[in-house]
Amino acid sequence: MATKERIETADTEASAPGLDTLADARHSTDDDHNDLRSLEAGLDRLQTAPERRPSAWRRFTTSVLPPIVFVVALVAAWQLYVVIAEPRPDIVPGPLGVVAAITQAWEAGRLQEAVVTSLERGVFGFLIAVAIGTPLGLLLAEVKPLRRAVGPIISGLQVLPSVAWVPAAIIWFGLTDATVYFVVLMGATPSIVNGLISGVDQVPPQLRRVGTVLGAGRWRLATHVVLPASLPGYVAGLKQGWAFSWRSLMAAEIITTGGAIGFGLGSMLDQSRTLADLAGVLATILVILTIGILIELVFFAPLERRMLRRRGLLVERGR
C-alpha cells in the first residue's frame, strides 16, 4: 500500500513540470492573442477615429471667406482702375455699370426667364447624359473587346468641341430645344463614360475575386461590387460631364437663336453683344459663372466630401 502511494506521488511530481509547461504555453498563447486583439483594436481606432466636425465659424473662415476676400479685392482693383484711367464706358464699364445692367435685366424679367430656361435645359440634358453614359461606361469597362473597338471613338468625342455639333443639330432638329439638348448630350456623355471607365480600372482585383467567391454573377458583380468601388472616378467624370454640358449649353444657346428656342442665358449674352452692350455682356458672364460655381458648391463638393469621408480618405478636424 505504501509502495502504491509512493508511485502515485512520484507520478504526480513527474507530471507537474509538464503541466507547468502546458500552463505557461497556454498563458503565452493568451498573451499573444491579447496583443493581437490590442493591435487590431488600435488599428481600428486609428482608421475609425471619431471625427470632430469643424465649427461653423472655422468652416466660414477656411472655405467661404478667402474667395469672398479675393472677389472683393478684385472688384476694388477694377473700380480703382476705372476711376484712375477713366476708360470709355463702352470699352471698360465699371462694376457699378455691370450691377446696373443686372438690375435692369431683373426688373424687366429677362434675367429670371433666362436663368430658369438655361438651368432646366442644363439639368435635364445632364440627367439624360448620366442615364446613357453610366450603363455605356460600365459596359465598355467590363467588355474588353467592345472597349478596344469603341473606346477611341469615345475619347475622340470628348476632345471634339461640342459646338461643332450645332450645325448638324440645326439641320436635323431645326431651331428647337431638341437641338440644344442634343449638343448638351454630346458634350457630357463622353466625359461620364471615360470617368466611369477610369474608376473601374482602379478597382482592386481582390474585390472582384471576393464577389466571385460569394457567388455574384457577371451583372451583379458589375453593379454591386465594381460600380460602388469605382465611385471616385465616376464622380470625377460626373463633375467633368456637368462642366462640359454647361459649356455646351451656352455655346448652343449663343448660336441657335430664334425659332422655337426659348430665351436662355446664351441668348441673353448674344443679345447684349448685338446691342454692343458690354456691361450687359459682362453681367451675363458673371451670372453664368456664378451658377456654375453654385452647382459645384451645393451639389458636387458635398457629394465628393461624403464619398471620401465614408472611405476614410477625408478627416475633418476642428479646433
Side-chain angles (χ1 to χ4, degrees):
M1 187 67 178
T3 303
K4 184 177 181 180
E5 291 177 353
R6 285 196 298 270
I7 293 174
E8 291 177 353
T9 303
D11 292 340
T12 303
E13 292 175 353
S15 63
L19 293 175
D20 293 340
T21 304
L22 181 60
D24 292 340
R26 185 176 301 170
H27 182 68
S28 176
T29 303
D30 292 340
D31 289 340
D32 292 340
H33 283 300
N34 291 333
D35 291 340
L36 288 175
R37 282 195 291 267
S38 300
L39 179 60
E40 291 174 357
L43 291 175
D44 290 340
R45 285 194 298 269
L46 180 62
Q47 292 180 346
T48 60
E51 299 176 4
R52 293 186 301 164
R53 294 294 182 87
S55 62
W57 173 250
R58 178 169 175 77
R59 288 198 301 269
F60 176 79
T61 55
T62 57
S63 301
V64 181
L65 188 59
I68 292 178
V69 172
F70 175 75
V71 170
V72 170
L74 189 62
V75 172
W78 180 10
Q79 181 63 35
L80 185 63
Y81 171 77
V82 171
V83 171
I84 295 176
E86 296 183 351
R88 289 170 47 186
D90 58 332
I91 301 298
V92 183
L96 297 180
V98 174
V99 172
I102 295 177
T103 303
Q104 292 175 1
W106 178 271
E107 293 176 349
R110 295 167 51 246
L111 181 59
Q112 299 93 311
E113 179 184 358
V115 169
V116 171
T117 301
S118 294
L119 275 179
E120 180 182 352
R121 289 170 172 171
V123 172
F124 187 63
F126 175 70
L127 292 178
I128 296 176
V130 171
I132 295 176
T134 300
L136 180 59
L138 196 58
L139 180 64
L140 294 180
E142 292 298 303
V143 183
K144 301 302 180 183
L146 187 62
R147 176 177 175 179
R148 286 192 291 268
V150 184
I153 299 176
I154 298 295
S155 299
L157 290 176
Q158 185 176 3
V159 176
L160 179 69
S162 54
V163 69
W165 289 105
V166 174
I170 292 177
I171 295 175
W172 289 334
F173 307 107
L175 292 177
T176 62
D177 286 345
T179 297
V180 179
Y181 286 124
F182 177 80
V183 175
V184 171
L185 188 66
M186 297 304 296
T189 303
S191 297
I192 298 173
V193 171
N194 283 333
L196 183 53
I197 292 176
S198 177
V200 171
D201 289 341
Q202 298 173 14
V203 175
Q206 294 84 351
L207 293 180
R208 294 178 179 270
R209 298 193 189 104
V210 170
T212 303
V213 169
L214 294 177
R218 190 163 187 174
W219 173 250
R220 291 181 63 85
L221 184 66
T223 56
H224 290 72
V225 178
V226 176
L227 184 58
S230 63
L231 279 180
Y234 182 45
V235 172
L238 291 179
K239 290 176 60 177
Q240 190 177 34
W242 165 254
F244 272 86
S245 67
W246 189 242
R247 290 165 51 185
S248 304
L249 173 63
M250 292 301 108
E253 287 184 347
I254 291 174
I255 298 176
T256 57
T257 57
I261 295 181
F263 184 76
L265 287 171
S267 303
M268 183 175 172
L269 185 63
D270 185 67
Q271 188 180 79
S272 299
R273 189 269 311 169
T274 304
L275 297 175
D277 181 12
L278 186 56
V281 169
L282 294 179
T284 308
I285 291 175
L286 288 178
V287 172
I288 296 171
L289 179 63
T290 301
I291 292 176
I293 294 174
L294 287 178
I295 293 295
E296 164 67 21
L297 294 178
V298 172
F299 182 74
F300 287 107
L303 177 64
E304 189 172 20
R305 283 197 303 269
R306 181 180 178 184
M307 177 192 65
L308 294 177
R309 190 180 298 115
R310 292 184 62 180
R311 292 169 178 262
L313 301 176
L314 178 64
V315 178
E316 298 176 351
R317 299 187 181 276
R319 289 183 179 179

